[in-house]
Amino acid sequence: MDGNYVFLCGVMWCRFGQQDAGKELLRAADSGDPDMKALAGAMFANGTRRLRKSEKQALIAPWLTEGMRSRRWLWPR
């Protein structure tokens, strides 16, 4: 597995939540190369935190008032 490929999988996982990319990151995290393990593990963890945050926002969005939705601190870009 190539470092560029793992990085691109990380981008797809972190940015778009693409499941196949997440699976590839997990596969790379089991490799014997310590640098590959570190990169894959860090990118997988980062994507997981981001997806959890998005899921939480999606769950509470229907109950928010319009004024609450417009606050920048609540909906980061």
Side-chain angles (χ1 to χ4, degrees):
M1 212 177 262
D2 172 72
N4 291 329
Y5 176 73
V6 172
F7 177 76
L8 290 174
C9 285
V11 170
M12 295 303 290
W13 170 246
C14 292
R15 182 83 172 144
F16 305 109
Q18 189 179 51
Q19 290 182 359
D20 290 336
K23 289 176 187 176
E24 287 293 289
L25 288 175
L26 291 176
R27 195 167 70 94
D30 284 336
S31 76
D33 181 2
D35 292 333
M36 195 73 66
K37 276 184 166 185
L39 175 61
M43 295 204 81
F44 187 81
N46 187 29
T48 302
R49 281 192 302 272
R50 186 178 202 135
L51 289 173
R52 283 186 187 152
K53 187 175 182 180
S54 296
E55 287 173 359
K56 286 179 187 177
Q57 288 177 347
L59 288 173
I60 64 169
W63 293 282
L64 297 176
T65 65
E66 190 58 40
M68 295 169 101
R69 287 187 186 130
S70 66
R71 291 187 184 144
R72 224 174 255 255
W73 58 270
L74 188 58
W75 299 105
R77 293 180 188 192

